[in-house]
Each structure stands twice: as C-alpha cells, then as structure tokens.
Amino acid sequence: MARFLAEAVMVLHFAVLAFLLLGGFVAWRWRGVIYPHLAIGAWAILSLLVPVTCPLTTAEEFFRARAGMPSLGTGFIDHYIDGVWYPESASTLVQLVLGSIVIFSWIGFYAGHRAARRLSRC
C-alpha cells in the first residue's frame, strides 16, 4: 500500500506541475481557477527563492521509506525532471521559458477579464 501511495503522490505532483504551467490558460475560460493557480505560482516562486521542501515531496519520501524504496535524494524536480526531460545545463533556460508561459497566461487572463468587464458595462 505504501508503494501505491508513493506513486499516487508522484502522479499528483506531476498534475500540480501541469496545473502550474497550464492553469492560467484554464482560467481564461473558468475565472475562479485563477486563485488556486496564483497560490501554486506563489509557491513555485517561493521555492525558487528560498530553500523550502514541497509537502508533496515530503509525502512521497514518507511513503517511499515505508515501502522500502530508495529516497528521491535531492527532490522531485531533480529526480524526475532535471536531466531526464532536458539536460541539467538547460535548467535556467527551461525555468525562464516555463515562467514566461505562466506569465503570458496571467496577462491573457487579465486582458480577457478587463474586456469582459468593459462589455458587461455596455
């Protein structure tokens, strides 16, 4: 059961990262999504600036230990993504590109929200 829970937390972690990348675009259609998306975005920025451990990483490590699986080591991103999906030397570039996508989604959300408010006043 612990192995299943470790893997479930890993899948959830990937889903959170996908939401971080794409949630702003989802908010273009469903406005209320912007609030959890902003919260996850704030967490992502904080985790880049301050050495904090993600609660999902902590949960996965807990279940991995219970299942007798090896530790992730340095963390979720370093274990599953850096050096796996792209070379580690490209980490900064990838962060900038992904951050730009998120910021673009926020700008699009804001522009769409302003346009909708203007139309509703007419």
Side-chain angles (χ1 to χ4, degrees):
M1 183 62 148
R3 182 180 183 95
F4 170 78
L5 291 172
E7 291 175 0
V9 172
M10 176 199 57
V11 170
L12 175 62
H13 213 155
F14 274 111
V16 168
L17 289 177
F19 181 69
L20 172 62
L21 181 62
L22 303 172
F25 297 108
V26 173
W28 289 12
R29 174 71 172 101
W30 295 286
R31 291 186 188 158
V33 171
I34 198 67
Y35 300 110
H37 189 262
L38 289 170
I40 290 177
W43 175 262
I45 292 168
L46 176 70
S47 69
L48 289 173
L49 300 175
V50 179
V52 294
T53 302
C54 176
L56 291 173
T57 301
T58 302
E60 184 179 350
E61 287 284 17
F62 173 80
F63 291 123
R64 288 174 73 86
R66 289 278 168 111
M69 298 168 68
S71 171
L72 293 176
T74 57
F76 181 85
I77 300 288
D78 291 334
H79 184 80
Y80 291 111
I81 298 175
D82 279 349
V84 177
W85 289 16
Y86 54 83
E88 286 185 45
S89 60
S91 291
T92 302
L93 176 62
V94 169
Q95 287 175 355
L96 290 171
V97 168
L98 296 178
S100 297
I101 291 169
V102 172
I103 290 169
F104 175 76
S105 75
W106 289 348
I107 291 169
F109 171 82
Y110 179 73
H113 182 68
R114 281 185 51 106
R117 287 182 66 194
R118 255 186 267 124
L119 288 174
S120 69
R121 288 186 216 161
C122 295

